[in-house]
Amino acid sequence: MFQILYHRGVFSTFLPGESVPNWFSYKFTDAAEVYCTLPNNLNSHRTINGLSICFVYKCPEPYTNVGLYDGPAIWLRNQTKDLNWALYPAWFGLPEDDQTGIMWLSYWKVNNLFEQGDIIEVMGSPQFAEFKELGVKIFYIDEQIENYESNDPFEDILRNDFSDEERTYYICT
């Protein structure tokens, strides 16, 4: 069974994995070096629509819940505009053993909050686990199709922004 959690504008899923997939544009293996500058050399008809973040961790010791939230977290910051977000998922993946890694794949719908040339910082914190790798992929949309109207209710979920309104969806296939 495959499960996706949608919470506050972010889709997340946890899968077994040892490294960030090759299709991610930026990869970081040092937890202290997790920032990138969004490219400036793109076609002027394209805008930044979303970010996909992959955070890989493993648990060298069995996980024990200590009460307060001690699961994985991702922090996203647009340093240029001084905008900050944090995601602490209500459910998260645990590896089957101390040798197996977990990939936390997430998609952040950022709409117009990021522009070409912005400096973004992405941090992943496993708290109970060991950091392995972090990846970032930037998604773009052509301005000509940005105002596309659809009658698909699921697509309305995908258009959500980072509002303070509390919404959580669970999508299972």
Side-chain angles (χ1 to χ4, degrees):
M1 177 151 93
F2 182 67
Q3 296 183 341
I4 297 173
L5 169 66
Y6 176 80
H7 182 76
R8 292 190 172 252
V10 180
F11 285 93
S12 291
T13 192
F14 293 84
L15 303 168
E18 301 298 320
S19 63
V20 172
N22 290 334
W23 54 270
F24 278 81
S25 309
Y26 302 92
K27 292 183 185 180
F28 307 96
T29 55
D30 182 351
E33 183 186 299
V34 289
Y35 66 91
C36 54
T37 302
L38 302 179
N40 277 321
N41 57 352
L42 295 173
N43 182 326
S44 62
H45 296 290
R46 299 179 79 194
T47 58
I48 295 164
N49 191 43
L51 299 173
S52 196
I53 299 171
C54 180
F55 177 36
V56 181
Y57 58 91
K58 72 181 209 178
C59 299
E61 298 176 14
Y63 172 73
T64 305
N65 186 324
V66 295
L68 296 175
Y69 185 83
D70 63 348
I74 292 177
W75 294 280
L76 177 61
R77 179 173 187 233
N78 182 332
Q79 187 177 24
T80 307
K81 295 183 173 89
D82 196 27
L83 299 170
N84 300 284
W85 301 272
L87 180 61
Y88 302 89
W91 291 271
F92 52 88
L94 292 172
E96 293 179 9
D97 56 48
D98 62 355
Q99 300 300 311
T100 305
I102 291 288
M103 283 190 316
W104 175 8
L105 295 168
S106 61
Y107 176 76
W108 301 61
K109 180 85 169 168
V110 296
N111 291 333
N112 298 321
L113 299 173
F114 288 70
E115 295 177 301
Q116 295 173 30
D118 285 355
I119 297 172
I120 64 166
E121 295 175 315
V122 181
M123 292 184 0
S125 172
Q127 293 191 29
F128 65 88
E130 177 184 316
F131 174 91
K132 287 194 69 175
E133 196 172 20
L134 185 74
V136 178
K137 168 111 175 120
I138 303 166
F139 289 92
Y140 303 91
I141 189 167
D142 289 328
E143 289 177 354
Q144 292 90 350
I145 63 170
E146 190 173 302
N147 296 322
Y148 169 75
E149 293 295 327
S150 170
N151 294 325
D152 183 357
F154 184 70
E155 192 168 310
D156 290 337
I157 293 171
L158 296 175
R159 284 194 206 139
N160 184 37
D161 62 4
F162 286 101
S163 67
D164 289 333
E165 185 176 334
E166 180 74 29
R167 288 182 235 176
T168 301
Y169 301 90
Y170 304 94
I171 302 165
C172 304
T173 60

